Amino acid sequence: KAKRCTMVTFESLPWACRLIEFGKNVEILGFKDTLGASLLKGKECNLTKPIIETTQYILGEKPKVRHVQNYIAITLMAKSIVHPPIMYGKWSQWDGKPLSEKPLFYQGLDERQAELLSGVSDECVATAKAIEKKVPGLDMSDVIHVFDWYLNYYSDQITDKSNLMMAMRTNKAYDGLVHPMKEIEPGKYVPDFTYRYMAEDVPEGIVPMKGIAELAGVSTPYLDEVITWCQGKLNKEFLVGNKLTGKDLKDTRAPQKYGYNKLEDLFTGSFEVTPR
């Protein structure tokens, strides 16, 4: 059946948004200007409607849906790279004492958190460049640094574009968004490491990125550092040293989980990697 299907994947959500009432009400805090999408087309799939255009119709005028050549680029572009480095940078030195208020997440970014995020992004860009050299005909140019991504996607909502830290701190779409916290008693808060920023963005986001980098032969010291701390908070083992050989790799979406142990494995099968 998979041969007759086409999978569409997006690099991010179309908006910065938060749930108000489940199934009824969502607050949209800001629109992205553009949104990358890739298609993984089964070789026996005959599309009857234009997917990108149909998606654009559903979303409306913004964001502008942009066709990205292949799904590996989308995976390395995914904005799941943002949350884990910030969580690590914020809480790795925490003394364990409850806070009296919830700290700002994006707009509370400091230099250390920005360095970690930038370092992880550098490694994703390096991975994309390495893959492009090794796989003929593959276009990985859509994989850009996260700072450039913010300037492109939130151009009219950022007031200080001097560097990554200030771009995130002055992004109006992030006004008031705080760290995921648990209230352990009235007015006392501790970080919630079970929130999706960790529970989803690590095994389904940065671990797959690490897996792709590993297949491409790219060193990832920043990713390794972030994953090592995060997996401890999740009580999981994905990374052993700097290799994805942990006992809980089965709980991730890393390519190694599926038996993909060579770079070329990502580009073979009953599908078209770069459908047009």
Side-chain angles (χ1 to χ4, degrees):
K1 292 183 179 179
K3 295 179 182 179
R4 299 193 295 273
C5 296
T6 291
M7 300 293 293
V8 185
T9 183
F10 301 97
E11 61 178 310
S12 178
L13 292 172
W15 324 277
C17 55
R18 286 296 181 269
L19 184 69
I20 301 299
E21 185 178 0
F22 182 78
K24 293 184 178 180
N25 193 6
V26 171
E27 179 184 12
I28 295 180
L29 303 172
F31 287 86
K32 294 181 174 71
D33 290 334
T34 66
L35 183 69
S38 71
L39 312 179
L40 195 61
K41 183 174 178 291
K43 290 185 176 178
E44 297 178 10
C45 180
N46 296 312
L47 295 173
T48 59
K49 293 183 179 180
I51 291 180
I52 299 298
E53 291 80 357
T54 302
T55 303
Q56 187 70 69
Y57 173 79
I58 293 170
L59 292 177
E61 183 179 348
K62 291 182 70 174
K64 177 67 176 177
V65 180
R66 184 170 49 83
H67 187 190
V68 175
Q69 189 209 41
N70 66 86
Y71 80 108
I72 297 300
I74 282 285
T75 302
L76 292 172
M77 293 162 63
K79 296 292 94 59
S80 50
I81 70 166
V82 173
H83 300 136
I86 295 177
M87 291 291 287
Y88 169 53
K90 175 67 177 178
W91 301 109
S92 59
Q93 302 300 318
W94 177 51
D95 60 9
K97 296 179 181 178
L99 279 64
S100 58
E101 60 182 23
K102 300 178 181 180
L104 291 171
F105 192 82
Y106 307 97
Q107 294 178 332
L109 198 75
D110 62 20
E111 291 183 356
R112 173 58 176 160
Q113 293 162 44
E115 177 199 349
L116 289 164
L117 176 53
S118 182
V120 168
S121 185
D122 283 336
E123 291 168 357
C124 288
V125 172
T127 299
K129 291 179 178 179
I131 292 173
E132 193 170 58
K133 289 180 179 179
K134 295 180 180 182
V135 183
L138 209 63
D139 179 6
M140 301 293 287
S141 60
D142 284 293
V143 184
I144 59 176
H145 192 273
V146 67
F147 179 39
D148 298 317
W149 183 88
Y150 271 105
L151 297 184
N152 290 343
Y153 283 62
Y154 288 106
S155 60
D156 60 347
Q157 298 179 74
I158 293 172
T159 56
D160 187 338
K161 302 177 181 179
S162 58
N163 56 53
L164 175 60
M165 182 180 75
M166 294 311 300
M168 295 181 71
R169 288 175 69 107
T170 63
N171 186 349
K172 294 177 182 177
Y174 290 154
D175 282 353
L177 296 180
V178 296
H179 273 263
M181 308 292 285
K182 295 186 292 187
E183 190 172 23
I184 57 173
E185 58 181 86
K188 298 293 183 182
Y189 303 95
V190 296
D192 183 1
F193 297 127
T194 67
Y195 190 65
R196 64 180 177 87
Y197 287 2
M198 297 274 284
E200 296 178 11
D201 288 354
V202 176
E204 299 176 12
I206 61 172
V207 169
M209 292 173 185
K210 165 66 181 179
I212 295 170
E214 199 170 281
L215 297 182
V218 175
S219 176
T220 56
Y222 278 101
L223 270 169
D224 296 349
E225 183 178 352
V226 174
I227 292 171
T228 298
W229 180 83
C230 290
Q231 69 182 11
K233 295 302 178 184
L234 294 170
N235 196 28
K236 296 285 187 178
E237 182 189 71
F238 310 127
L239 198 66
V240 178
N242 63 355
K243 297 293 183 182
L244 285 178
T245 56
K247 61 181 177 61
D248 296 308
L249 196 63
K250 65 184 186 304
D251 300 326
T252 75
R253 291 182 179 174
Q256 289 81 353
K257 168 191 173 177
Y258 304 99
Y260 295 167
N261 297 307
K262 302 186 299 296
L263 185 62
E264 53 265 34
D265 292 341
L266 300 177
F267 304 99
T268 58
S270 57
F271 53 83
E272 297 174 13
V273 175
T274 59
R276 291 297 182 184

